[in-house]
Every structure is written in C-alpha cells, then in structure tokens.
Amino acid sequence: MLLAAAGFLPLFAATYFCAYRLRFDGELITHWQATFLETLLWVLIIKWLTFVWFRLHKNWSRYVTFHDLLTLGQSVTCATLGITFADALFLPQLTIPRSILLIDWGATLLAVGAARALPRLFRDDGWRFFATSRGIPSLIVGANDSGEALLRSIRSNPALNYHVVGFLDDQPHALGCRIGGVPVLGNCDDLPRLADRYDVEEVLIMSGELPGTQVRHLMETAGQHSFRVKVLPSYEQLLHEQVAVHPRSVAIEDLLCRPTVELDLDAVRRWITGRVLLVTGSAGSIGSEICRQLLKLGPARVILVDRAETNQFFLERELNRLAPDVDVAVRLADMTDKARLDALFAETQPEIIFHAAAYKHVPLMEEHCGEAVKNIVVATRNLVDLADRYGIQALVMISTDKAVNPTSVMGSCKRLAEQYVQARSIGSSCRLVTVRFGNVLDSAGSVVPVFREQIACGGPLTVTHPDIIRYFMLIPEAAQLVIQAGAMGQGGEIFVLDMGEPVRILDLAHDMIRLSGLRVGEDIEVEIVGLRPGEKLYEELYDQGEIHQRTNHPKIMVAESAKRNVLEVIRDVRRLEALANEPNEVVKAALGEIIPLGKVAKSVERSAAA
C-alpha cells in the first residue's frame, strides 16, 4: 500500500512547481529556482507522510464521497502547516513565500480531489455523455433524500439502463433546484406535459415514499399517456429484506400505502430493550411481524408461542438470521390450555406479552361458535389472569374493528375479550391494554391473496357486495403501531389505530386486475356473490357509546368508554365457557344475550339484503 501512496509524489511535485509558476507569472528567477529545488524533497516527504497518516492511499477508490473530500481537506491543511513549521525551524537559510504555500494548498486540494473524483465520474454517469444512447428517459418522483439515493443507485448500477431527465416534487420551493446535476422540472400535475416534452418512458418512485392516493393518480395518468410507473425498493428493504435493486411494476400495496409511520423510538426502546417478551399467535401474519419489529429494539429474549409447529419452525430460523444475538425461544402451546400456559409462564418468566393469537375468519366462526369462544374469549381470560398472577409488567391484546357494533360471532367474542381486559385492568399490577384496528393488507387468508389466486386461475374475482368497504393497514405498519400503543398505555385503554380512508372492495378488485396487466370485464370478470353470514357492509372503529380521544401520537387514538363490572364479565365468560361444546345455536344465543348485535350494523345488513 505504501507503494500505491508513492503515486501521489508526482502530483505533489507538479502542484508545488505550479504554485511557483503562478506566483511569479511563469518566470522563475535563479533565486526562486534554487529555493524550489532545495525545498522540494522536504515538501514531498511532509506531504507524503501526512497523506499516509490520514490513510488516503487506502481510500483511493471509485466510492469517493463528500466525507472523503473533507478528510482530503484536513490532510492538505496539515501538510501545509507541517511545511510551514519545517520552513521556520529546519530551513532558516531558506524561506518559502507564504503565498506559495497558500497556492500550493489550493492546487493540491484541487488536483488530488479531481484525481480521486475521476473514477467515480466514469463509474456513475460520466461515461454516458460520450455514449450515443443514454438509456431510458425517466423521471423520479420526490426531490428528497430518497430521490437522491435512487438517482445514485441508477448511476452506479449499469444494469439499470436509465437516463434521469428530471425530478418531480409537489413542494414549490423545490422547483428549479438541482439534485446531482438533475433539475426539478415540476410537480405531479405537470407530469403529462413533461412526459411528452422529454419523451419519458418510465416514472420511478421509491417503495413506501408516496401515499397510495398519489400512486393511484400516477397510475391513472400513465394509463392515459405512453409511459409506465415503476417502483424501486427502499433502502430499508434493501438492508432488511435482501431484495434486488431492480424496478418492479406498481403493486396493490403501493396503491394503499400511506405516509410512513413515525414512532417514538426512544420511548419504545426504553420499554422493550433488555426485556423478556412473549408473543402469542407468533406464527400468524401479525404475530410474526411483531416479532420482527421487536428484534430491532434490543430485547433480552423473545418467546414465540403458537400451536402451529411448522410455521413456528420456519419463523425461528428466520428470526435467528435477522438477529443472531437475541435469544429466540419457540414454545408450542394452546391458549385454551391454562395449565400449559401456567407452566410456560413459570418457566420463561416473561415481562411483556403481545397477545395476537385468535381466529379471524368471520364465516367459519359463525359455524363454530364454541371454538370462537374458546380461542378468543377463554384464551384472553387465561392470559390476563396469569399475567396478573405472575406480575407481568404489561399485556397488549390485539383486537379488531369487527368488535364495534358486532354482527358476527367473531366480532362479539372480540368485544367480550376487550371488556374482560378493561374490567381486569382495574386494580391489576399488570398494565392491560387493547389495540383495535381493521384489516391487514395481504395477511394470510385476507382478500388480497384471495384475489391474487383468483386472477391466477383466470377469475372470476368474487366480491360480496358492490358497496362493501374496509379499512386496510400494511402488516409492518400495524405491528409498529401495536408496539407503540403498548408503550403508551397506562392500563385499561382501548387504543384505536388511524386506518386512513376506507377502501371499496370492488375498487380493490378492479385495481388488482389492472395491475396484473388485464382488463376488467374482458380478461377477468368480477362477480357479486352476496354478503356472507355475519359480514357487514361498513366496518367501524368506534362503538356508539365510545368517545375517541387523541393521544400524543397522530395515528393512535383512545376509545373512551365506561368499563363493565369485573364480576359481571367474569360471570359471562364462565357461562360461555361452560356452553362452548354445546350445539352452535345454543352458544350463539348465549353470546347474543351477553353482547347484543349492533343496531347500526343490523340496519345496514337489512338495507343490503333489500
């Protein structure tokens, strides 16, 4: 490497000589020629030693950055100071003019900086100026850090054959600015005009950066013009999911995406770091994502509890790869087996519990009312009782918007579980809180994978009612907000996550058909099949008697309501538990007496049937 550093010496000699020539207008009299020759060796040695000390000879690569240039400036400055001291202390008979030292400082900085920048210039976009074809004309949406990172990725990856002609950004102050030499040409409303003017073939966005409404608008505009919208993975996805840096077509997740969730990481880390955590239902879509999010927060141990042994096996392998330094323990258990849970608590001594285990399919629970009671109500009762007995610090139960004015067995069971958690929170040493939210996009068995499978089979896509709407949330977003709400809870709250605007399922079906490159009604049919048992047209996030209160997090509310008497709730749970193995009609009738069907939901269903 020291031999490589010797490559600096000719450059140092040239800049030192140029400094003299510039200082004396190109004419060197004999005196200054002698000074130059007699001091040249000292100057070269000091500069060379300084550059080696700053290890610049090891950083000579095509990956030069602004920080490398700062280091270069420090090195050149130190070298100049070293030459000045050497001139004053060791060369009293000679004096290098201070103007020479100043010119040499600037010349060395420019010359070495330019030499270091050349490899990156040719690595990035510089070579394309001499090429006959400069790639696919493209626009990047977002004149921000993500847009700049996307531009650098395109320039550094020859496989991405793009020529970025400009940026689009809706911030007025960004117009006319340049990022990496590329101008901000306008906002998204200017896209049709700019696409025609610059012959744009593709519009590039970074995954998760734009809200779904804006992505939908871009797709509609693209459908009316001759360009495509492509999505590249975010840097977080690159780091944590090991995906490739290649553009993909817009997916349904992009259309439903909302602005990125901002977490109070300090509060969450203080709550999680160094703790023993237990996640029930860990093999499910939400439970497994909660586990992934928790690993980022530095827990001492994460205990995965579920009865699905195959999914548990693969989840353990995945989590061990993601966080090899965190103790991940798999335990098989049924939430209805209180003796097994008691033994599990005694063995593992958890400090915080995330309760995500539950049945989720509304029509199936209508036919298996007793099983819904066991796996939703009784399971929650078992966990809450044990959490209180073992002095667990906090328990967070995940609920659903179907618990609001419930019209189904599943919703009624979730509502009773909410009431049990609330009632037992009074006087408990454990902070018992509930988090309520709607549908999770692309979770197992949800509408998106069902539609995807139906498209693969050639259709039709089955929609229960043309006016049915649902709230949707991405899986990572839901998991993050569950953890955030748990950190905020003091006990007894029902936190409600901001689900944004509801989505009409018929529109969702049409979007998925179009995103698959097919035509609605021609390539794939959409069939209206009627509401299923227990299904509502409109989901709600708040009950009629609840008041929603804001919290210090913009996406988390509290549903404030009067708590039921704990003895009454315990009595109701015991009654249902005793009837759980009775005929379906018997269990359903008893459940209906305890949790009456919501009046608003009933009227909606009657109007739908009419």
Side-chain angles (χ1 to χ4, degrees):
M1 296 302 293
L2 293 179
L3 290 177
F8 285 114
L9 293 175
L11 196 60
F12 295 156
T15 57
Y16 190 51
F17 177 72
C18 288
Y20 273 91
R21 299 284 293 184
L22 289 170
R23 170 64 180 81
F24 297 107
D25 297 326
E27 296 293 334
L28 286 182
I29 60 177
T30 304
H31 170 70
W32 295 118
Q33 287 180 357
T35 302
F36 167 76
L37 294 174
E38 293 178 21
T39 58
L40 177 61
L41 181 61
W42 283 96
V43 169
L44 293 181
I45 291 173
I46 292 172
K47 282 189 176 182
W48 185 82
L49 290 174
T50 307
F51 272 54
V52 171
W53 176 264
F54 278 88
R55 306 175 70 84
L56 288 176
H57 62 295
K58 292 189 176 182
N59 293 331
W60 189 283
S61 74
R62 59 188 185 138
Y63 298 106
V64 61
T65 66
F66 177 73
H67 297 287
D68 294 319
L69 295 180
L70 286 179
T71 304
L72 173 61
Q74 294 171 348
S75 174
V76 173
T77 301
C78 288
T80 301
L81 291 175
I83 294 169
T84 303
F85 283 120
D87 179 40
L89 298 177
F90 304 112
L91 304 172
Q93 74 279 13
L94 298 172
T95 300
I96 303 174
R98 297 299 175 256
S99 57
I100 295 290
L101 295 177
L102 185 61
I103 295 171
D104 178 64
W105 176 88
T108 303
L109 191 63
L110 288 174
V112 179
R116 294 208 60 193
L118 280 175
R120 177 158 185 173
L121 176 65
F122 286 100
R123 166 182 169 259
D124 288 349
D125 225 18
W127 61 273
R128 298 190 184 188
F129 289 111
F130 305 100
T132 56
S133 175
R134 299 178 64 186
I136 301 170
S138 307
L139 289 167
I140 293 177
V141 180
N144 51 24
D145 290 343
S146 296
E148 191 272 338
L150 179 53
L151 177 64
R152 280 190 284 110
S153 295
I154 290 171
R155 286 175 165 176
S156 62
N157 190 342
L160 299 177
N161 186 31
Y162 289 105
H163 168 53
V164 179
V165 298
F167 285 89
L168 297 177
D169 198 285
D170 289 334
Q171 299 294 327
H173 63 80
L175 185 63
C177 297
R178 287 181 173 269
I179 297 178
V182 178
V184 180
L185 299 174
N187 56 40
C188 290
D189 292 335
D190 300 323
L191 179 55
R193 175 180 59 83
L194 295 173
D196 292 338
R197 179 178 177 182
Y198 293 97
D199 296 323
V200 171
E201 296 181 24
E202 292 192 3
V203 174
L204 306 175
I205 61 177
M206 192 77 91
S207 175
E209 281 295 314
L210 298 181
T213 53
Q214 193 167 354
V215 178
R216 187 184 298 273
H217 175 69
L218 290 175
M219 288 294 297
E220 292 171 352
T221 305
Q224 300 166 5
H225 296 79
S226 57
F227 63 84
R228 301 176 297 275
V229 178
K230 289 293 182 71
V231 181
L232 277 87
S234 66
Y235 271 83
E236 183 177 352
Q237 289 173 313
L238 293 175
L239 291 172
H240 298 295
E241 299 183 16
Q242 305 297 316
V243 294
V245 188
H246 287 287
R248 60 167 173 82
S249 298
V250 174
I252 193 66
E253 292 84 354
D254 301 309
L255 295 185
L256 298 179
C257 182
R258 292 188 298 279
T260 305
V261 175
E262 298 293 336
L263 298 182
D264 183 357
L265 283 177
D266 290 337
V268 172
R269 286 187 188 278
R270 285 196 301 270
W271 187 49
I272 294 297
T273 302
R275 308 279 188 191
V276 178
L277 314 176
L278 187 147
V279 181
T280 72
S282 56
S285 302
I286 294 296
S288 60
E289 183 61 27
I290 288 175
C291 294
R292 295 183 191 97
Q293 299 292 338
L294 290 174
L295 289 183
K296 302 175 185 178
L297 301 171
R301 193 182 195 199
V302 179
I303 304 157
L304 318 178
V305 182
D306 205 298
R307 62 188 182 188
E309 52 110 6
T310 300
N311 290 343
Q312 287 280 79
F313 170 77
F314 287 109
L315 179 62
E316 180 186 25
R317 290 166 58 88
E318 177 192 350
L319 298 184
N320 282 330
R321 287 196 303 270
L322 289 176
D325 297 332
V326 178
D327 181 10
V328 175
V330 169
R331 296 294 184 269
L332 297 179
D334 190 319
M335 297 300 107
T336 64
D337 187 346
K338 192 169 185 178
R340 167 62 180 146
L341 292 177
D342 195 348
L344 181 61
F345 276 46
E347 174 207 351
T348 59
Q349 296 293 314
E351 297 174 81
I352 299 171
I353 298 173
F354 292 91
H355 177 33
Y359 285 137
K360 60 182 286 186
H361 293 286
V362 171
L364 273 176
M365 295 303 98
E366 294 297 310
E367 299 174 7
H368 301 85
C369 188
E371 294 305 307
V373 167
K374 293 177 189 177
N375 203 44
I376 298 175
V377 180
V378 175
T380 300
R381 189 273 313 273
N382 292 343
L383 281 170
V384 170
D385 290 355
L386 288 170
D388 187 60
R389 185 196 308 172
Y390 278 87
I392 305 300
Q393 183 191 110
L395 182 146
V396 182
M397 187 194 83
I398 295 176
S399 187
T400 169
D401 55 4
K402 293 175 177 60
V404 179
N405 293 319
T407 61
S408 64
V409 167
M410 197 273 278
S412 297
C413 288
K414 275 293 189 180
R415 181 59 182 149
L416 184 55
E418 287 184 354
Q419 292 178 352
Y420 192 85
V421 172
Q422 271 197 311
R424 285 299 310 272
S425 68
I426 300 173
S428 175
S429 61
C430 179
R431 291 194 292 115
L432 303 170
V433 300
T434 298
V435 182
R436 181 194 292 165
F437 54 89
N439 297 270
V440 178
L441 188 68
D442 221 5
S443 61
S446 64
V447 65
V448 169
V450 170
F451 281 170
R452 194 177 288 130
E453 180 183 357
Q454 290 175 336
I455 291 172
C457 295
L461 269 63
T462 54
V463 178
T464 57
H465 192 282
D467 296 325
I468 193 168
I469 62 173
R470 290 292 182 265
Y471 291 95
F472 284 98
M473 181 171 280
L474 301 180
I475 294 177
E477 183 181 19
Q480 290 170 3
L481 288 177
V482 165
I483 298 169
Q484 178 73 75
M488 293 164 53
Q490 298 301 311
E493 301 98 335
I494 296 179
F495 290 105
V496 181
L497 305 187
D498 176 10
M499 301 293 294
E501 294 298 320
V503 177
R504 202 163 70 120
I505 301 301
L506 185 60
D507 293 338
L508 181 66
H510 290 171
D511 285 336
M512 291 194 65
I513 292 172
R514 284 192 288 263
L515 290 176
S516 300
L518 303 171
R519 292 165 294 182
V520 179
E522 297 182 31
D523 302 313
I524 299 285
E525 297 287 342
V526 176
E527 182 180 340
I528 306 299
V529 297
L531 289 171
R532 299 173 297 178
E535 191 171 44
K536 294 195 292 186
L537 275 179
Y538 310 107
E539 299 289 9
E540 305 156 273
L541 294 174
Y542 298 96
D543 207 333
Q544 287 177 309
E546 293 177 339
I547 302 172
H548 60 276
Q549 303 284 349
R550 292 191 173 275
T551 68
N552 56 10
H553 193 285
K555 285 185 172 287
I556 301 176
M557 306 285 192
V558 172
E560 194 72 40
S561 62
K563 298 178 177 64
R564 287 187 61 194
N565 181 276
V566 65
L567 296 178
E568 291 180 1
V569 181
I570 291 174
R571 180 198 63 203
D572 289 340
V573 173
R574 287 176 177 172
R575 177 188 173 194
L576 288 174
E577 184 179 20
L579 295 173
N581 292 319
E582 295 296 323
N584 207 53
E585 295 74 17
V586 174
V587 184
K588 186 178 291 188
L591 181 60
E593 293 174 8
I594 297 169
I595 306 291
L597 294 179
K599 295 178 181 179
V600 174
K602 279 184 175 178
S603 64
V604 169
E605 287 197 67
R606 281 199 298 270
S607 66

